[in-house]
Amino acid sequence: MMNTLKASGVGASINRVEGRLKVRGMAKYATEFPVENKAFAQGINSTIAKGEIIAIDSSEAEGLDGVLAVITYKNAEKLNHLEEEMPLLATTTIAPVLQSAKVNYYGEYVGVVVAETFEQAQYAARLVKFEYKEDPDPTIRFDESKSKAYKPKGNSDYLRGDMEAGLAEADETLDATYITPIEHHHPMELHAIIASWENGKVTAYSSQQMVNESTIAIADTFQIPKKDVRVITPFVGGGFGSKLNTERHVILAIMASKLLGRPVQMTVTRQQMFTNTGMRQQNEQRMQLGAKMDGSLTALSHDTLSHTSTYQEYQEPCGMISKMLYQVPNNQITYRLIPMNFQTPFAMRAPGEATGSFALESAMDEMAWKLKMDPVDFRIKNDTQIDLGADKPFSSRLLIECLRIGADKFGWENRSMQPRSKQEGNWLIGYGVSAASRNSPYQESSSKVILELENEKVYATVQMDATDIGTGSYTIIAQTASEYLGVPVAQVTVELGDSRFPITPGSGGSWGAASYCNGARAACQNAIDTLKQNKNIGKDQDIPVAELLKQNKLKKYEAEGSAAPSEAFKKHSVFSFGANFSEVWVDKHTGMYRIKRMVNVASAGNILNPKTAYGQIIGGLTMGVGMVLSEQTRVEPNFGNFITRSLADYHVPVNLDMANIEVIFLPEEDKIANEMGVKGIGELGITSVAASVANAIFNATGKRMRHLPITPEKLIEAQVEPGVVA
Ligand code: MOS
């Protein structure tokens, strides 16, 4: 490593390098690029849940000033389609749209209007009349449709040992079902695109989390070479999974541009983001646990019932966490899906763990109470350093340390095992705990570094197709270049979000930081190694990069590099771990409650920048608070549309809902994870909150809340558990 710059290298708590651009409004989001002569598109949504279009009257809309085109299945170009029934929805999946008269769900795109102005397009969209032949029996009620559930092809069921034998040898058993509702991710920046089709080539300024995957999906949908698709997305105003894949508005805008021969801008409205850009589906998770009186688990099963669409398959892997988190010899995971007349659900922050941990970590708390064991001790008793589900050791696992240190910082010793025993006036006070874990799936990542010598100073530019979805990618990549080149961050420029740059896996699944930074490291190290080799300078000799360029008689030098998972990585399970402790005050008369404080401990390897990492955990905790307090998308039971259609009725938490939060990062060196020892942190925060709060509510009230969100009315109606002194 070159002379480390403590002030700005890896581990320094520096401010965001793009912060000034953002506060001055100079960071350009998708629709802020100055593209000339653009037209505006507005999508039209179906008003039935299932059936087909039998007539369309677009004459009134077409007669309006400024309207350039009305596109429906009748005049839309034919796109690629998959022959396979119920193909899996993935990040590169094609997104054909307006290809038939069939309607699969309420809110599906049935047309698009293109006009000279945004207002004209919006107005004209309302004037296009559709007549439908409605199927009288759409599948829109989850509870009444369970008999339609099938075993998905995408996520195989899993078994180790023998569940029945495990339950038979247990001293205590638990059989409980946990329900989580449909949820929507609502990034501040709406999904939006400016698309240009020119001579068979596509340029898309589109808000996306994964640039390379998006070029693949666009190219495959239009059946053109991938090299003819350019996706540009230097700033993304949040994604949370909703921008991982290429949604149909992207295809609509490109299709419209191709038809009109001019650029087309399309913004998905906040209301349309409930029906056209992904969601988390409702899950019903049945947990069965068996344990001995000494606290050792003998059996654990996790059966998930969810829904997918009627045209694609997606299964949130809720049971994944129950395969790997604890030492249990008998373990069974199953998945079933109901095909429903809603859009295909897809990844929403920590898909699998966010919901799965609510079920598992609530069930662990219920079992600890049955055993009259402290829930921290119960988890520690069942710790494992081997991932039994994958049959591999963990590269590093500090879950016990997270639990112990968190308990200490939180003042867990002041918790009373007996629910309802801590009161202040009308308030019932409870403490809760949950473990957290999230896979850290590091992936191959490439980058380019350009070094320029000017007035004795070296300026570096790092390029890759990575995205910064508000998480701090620019900053940590700049810090990495600073560290490995030995130049201050102020002399480093990072350029992201363009498919012309070297390929990375994009931002998602908590793999961004580790992948991007190791890719940047590799390019910087290659640059320096080659400059040394050229002059027969030993690899270990510490020479400033400015001096190296001078000795090479170079004013400018470029190098590329890429990093990929090692053999050791593949032989291990690489996860981040954590623990969440919360204190909740419940008003015993109204059921209103407040989360007073939270202590969150995380072990996520090498923390590149404590300030941005802290922001990631806080963001995850906030979304977790949303899960437990208020977030739910409601389905209108007769027509199948979502009746929560704005942020006025889909409630996300605000500052006043949040607790006093302390975040602690444990020092952890994990060189198996990757050379820089970086692990994922974006999704770890959300994976513990719902259970931690629900468990605190049990400790406060003696009521077991198994159905999210935990609203005051549910809490008031719930009965105190048998065995709790009311
Ligand atoms: Mo995440 S749900 O992979 O953006």
Side-chain angles (χ1 to χ4, degrees):
M1 204 175 287
M2 297 295 297
N3 23 320
T4 302
L5 297 164
K6 291 269 178 275
S8 64
V10 165
S13 220
I14 64 167
N15 289 335
R16 285 169 187 254
V17 297
E18 85 289 15
R20 283 197 172 78
L21 282 182
K22 282 188 175 162
V23 296
R24 288 182 297 160
M26 290 170 75
K28 280 200 175 59
Y29 292 82
T31 53
E32 295 179 323
F33 283 85
V35 175
E36 295 203 350
N37 191 34
K38 66 187 175 189
F40 293 81
Q42 174 63 44
I44 309 171
N45 304 86
S46 75
T47 53
I48 61 163
K50 188 182 181 188
E52 60 181 294
I53 303 163
I54 50 172
I56 303 169
D57 179 2
S58 55
S59 56
E60 195 182 349
E62 276 165 301
L64 284 181
D65 263 4
V67 172
L68 301 164
V70 177
I71 310 173
T72 66
Y73 82 94
K74 292 198 164 180
N75 58 344
E77 76 165 288
K78 289 294 157 237
L79 301 166
N80 195 7
H81 67 282
L82 299 172
E83 297 293 348
E84 190 189 350
E85 285 251 335
M86 298 292 280
L88 295 184
L89 176 56
T91 52
T92 53
T93 302
I94 59 168
V97 55
L98 307 185
Q99 298 296 290
S100 82
K102 197 171 169 197
V103 175
N104 298 289
Y105 66 92
Y106 197 109
E108 186 174 15
Y109 289 125
V110 287
V112 63
V113 173
V114 197
E116 291 291 349
T117 70
F118 174 70
E119 291 77 10
Q120 287 167 338
Q122 285 237 312
Y123 180 62
R126 282 187 249 149
L127 303 179
V128 184
K129 294 173 196 74
F130 289 83
E131 226 179 285
Y132 300 99
K133 185 165 148 249
E134 208 174 334
D135 185 312
D137 191 23
T139 310
I140 53 177
R141 291 181 289 269
F142 185 91
D143 289 337
E144 292 167 26
S145 311
K146 292 180 182 174
S147 63
K148 293 184 184 164
Y150 73 101
K151 184 174 167 179
K153 53 189 167 185
N155 263 296
S156 49
D157 291 358
Y158 168 83
L159 175 69
R160 70 172 175 261
D162 178 338
M163 263 309 286
E164 265 180 50
L167 288 171
E169 66 175 289
D171 296 322
E172 283 288 353
T173 59
L174 174 81
D175 186 343
T177 298
Y178 304 87
I179 296 168
T180 59
I182 296 176
E183 293 176 334
H184 275 87
H185 16 34
H186 272 285
M188 278 212 280
E189 184 204 16
L190 301 165
H191 285 245
I193 179 172
I194 304 174
S196 306
W197 178 287
E198 233 177 320
N199 305 321
K201 293 189 175 149
V202 173
T203 305
Y205 296 94
S206 182
S207 192
Q208 301 289 153
Q209 291 177 234
M210 304 169 87
V211 167
N212 186 53
E213 313 281 286
S214 186
T215 61
I216 293 169
I218 293 169
D220 286 355
T221 304
F222 287 95
Q223 295 178 286
I224 57 175
K226 177 174 172 280
K227 67 170 175 48
D228 291 343
V229 179
R230 184 174 176 198
V231 171
I232 302 163
T233 181
F235 295 97
V236 179
F240 313 112
S242 75
K243 294 171 182 170
L244 285 173
N245 55 329
T246 297
E247 290 287 0
R248 291 167 172 195
H249 67 277
V250 172
I251 303 306
L252 285 175
I254 297 169
M255 189 195 267
S257 171
K258 186 177 176 183
L259 181 77
L260 293 171
R262 60 190 274 199
V264 170
Q265 173 168 324
M266 181 162 178
T267 301
V268 180
T269 65
R270 185 62 73 187
Q271 286 71 31
Q272 287 174 324
M273 278 174 54
F274 283 88
T275 43
N276 304 86
T277 57
M279 63 181 190
R280 199 198 297 279
Q281 72 296 326
Q282 178 174 342
N283 297 301
E284 205 177 278
Q285 302 175 71
R286 180 181 177 198
M287 306 297 298
Q288 288 176 271
L289 272 66
K292 296 269 200 198
M293 280 321 288
D294 71 354
S296 46
L297 282 167
T298 59
L300 168 59
S301 69
H302 191 151
D303 303 307
T304 304
L305 176 65
S306 330
H307 52 97
T308 187
S309 67
T310 54
Y311 54 94
Q312 270 173 334
E313 183 175 302
Y314 174 73
Q315 169 70 60
E316 183 176 356
C318 300
M320 205 159 56
I321 189 167
S322 291
K323 263 162 91 169
M324 52 63 67
L325 197 55
Y326 296 114
Q327 166 74 50
V328 56
N330 306 299
N331 180 224
Q332 182 170 307
I333 313 295
T334 70
Y335 297 102
R336 296 295 180 269
L337 282 172
I338 308 170
M340 294 188 72
N341 291 103
F342 300 130
Q343 62 176 309
T344 317
F346 199 50
M348 175 162 160
R349 204 167 195 179
E353 287 94 339
T355 44
S357 72
F358 169 62
L360 175 62
E361 290 297 292
S362 295
M364 288 294 283
D365 201 74
E366 296 206 39
M367 182 54 93
W369 167 244
K370 281 183 180 250
L371 299 169
K372 297 290 173 287
M373 199 169 168
D374 181 277
V376 171
D377 296 340
F378 180 46
R379 287 175 173 83
I380 290 174
K381 170 85 185 171
N382 289 290
D383 187 60
T384 174
Q385 294 294 315
I386 307 284
D387 176 347
L388 296 167
D391 207 12
K392 290 173 183 180
F394 289 105
S395 59
S396 161
R397 168 168 160 141
L398 301 182
L399 179 59
I400 292 180
E401 291 77 0
C402 290
L403 287 163
R404 289 220 167 104
I405 290 166
D408 186 47
K409 292 276 177 193
F410 184 80
W412 187 251
E413 76 274 9
N414 298 323
R415 174 184 183 265
S416 154
M417 175 91 79
Q418 267 311 318
R420 300 182 81 89
S421 54
K422 231 183 181 43
Q423 299 200 20
E424 232 183 88
N426 285 340
W427 297 103
L428 301 172
I429 301 167
Y431 289 4
V433 64
S434 168
S437 67
R438 171 70 191 177
N439 194 8
S440 193
Y442 169 56
Q443 293 180 56
E444 180 167 6
S445 209
S446 302
S447 104
K448 181 195 235 180
V449 61
I450 304 157
L451 302 173
E452 284 165 288
L453 187 62
E454 230 177 87
N455 303 327
E456 306 289 304
K457 277 188 181 171
V458 173
Y459 292 87
T461 302
V462 183
Q463 296 174 331
M464 60 182 92
D465 78 1
T467 51
D468 190 324
I469 58 175
T471 44
S473 310
Y474 280 104
T475 309
I476 56 173
I477 294 166
Q479 287 178 269
T480 302
S482 166
E483 176 89 21
Y484 288 91
L485 295 170
V487 303
V489 154
Q491 286 159 235
V492 179
T493 303
V494 178
E495 295 178 351
L496 305 178
D498 189 327
S499 54
R500 290 198 174 158
F501 297 151
I503 293 174
T504 73
S507 289
S510 300
W511 58 65
S515 308
Y516 301 160
C517 292
N518 278 286
R521 168 190 60 76
C524 295
Q525 284 178 329
N526 282 349
I528 286 181
D529 289 351
T530 316
L531 290 170
K532 283 180 178 171
Q533 264 168 26
N534 292 347
K535 290 284 139 195
N536 292 317
I537 298 167
K539 246 189 163 182
D540 299 329
Q541 258 184 280
D542 201 355
I543 300 179
V545 64
E547 183 58 31
L548 284 173
L549 286 170
K550 273 195 254 172
Q551 289 197 18
N552 277 271
K553 298 197 168 49
L554 289 168
K555 284 257 174 241
K556 187 173 176 181
Y557 181 71
E558 291 184 10
E560 295 206 19
S562 63
S566 64
E567 285 310 307
F569 176 94
K570 291 171 196 160
K571 290 193 184 113
H572 290 80
S573 275
V574 183
F575 278 73
S576 297
F577 290 94
N580 186 286
F581 292 82
S582 60
E583 177 177 330
V584 174
W585 289 40
V586 184
D587 184 308
K588 64 182 171 192
H589 300 304
T590 65
M592 296 281 283
Y593 63 98
R594 292 203 62 90
I595 304 164
K596 281 279 176 179
R597 61 191 182 99
M598 257 183 203
V599 172
N600 196 273
V601 188
S603 75
N606 186 9
I607 301 301
L608 295 161
N609 179 329
K611 194 178 278 184
T612 55
Y614 176 76
Q616 284 299 284
I617 296 288
I618 295 283
L621 295 177
T622 308
M623 274 182 108
V625 167
M627 274 178 81
V628 70
L629 277 185
S630 56
E631 284 186 51
Q632 68 176 323
T633 300
R634 286 184 183 271
V635 179
E636 197 287 327
N638 301 302
F639 297 96
N641 58 334
F642 296 138
I643 49 174
T644 29
R645 294 189 72 89
S646 76
L647 295 175
D649 38 36
Y650 184 90
H651 291 160
V652 296
V654 297
N655 274 328
L656 275 175
D657 297 314
M658 292 309 293
N660 191 341
I661 297 168
E662 186 178 355
V663 177
I664 298 157
F665 295 110
L666 297 190
E668 181 182 33
E669 187 170 290
D670 186 344
K671 293 290 181 193
I672 294 169
N674 48 72
E675 218 173 301
M676 294 173 71
V678 181
K679 293 208 234 179
I681 207 155
E683 292 164 305
L684 185 65
I686 193 177
T687 68
S688 51
V689 185
S692 172
V693 172
N695 296 341
I697 288 174
F698 174 72
N699 186 241
T701 64
K703 296 177 178 186
R704 203 42 94 169
M705 305 307 292
R706 303 186 184 95
H707 188 168
L708 295 184
I710 305 174
T711 55
E713 55 269 32
K714 280 187 200 159
L715 194 44
I716 277 295
E717 277 172 14
Q719 298 299 310
V720 169
E721 285 288 295
V724 173
V725 186

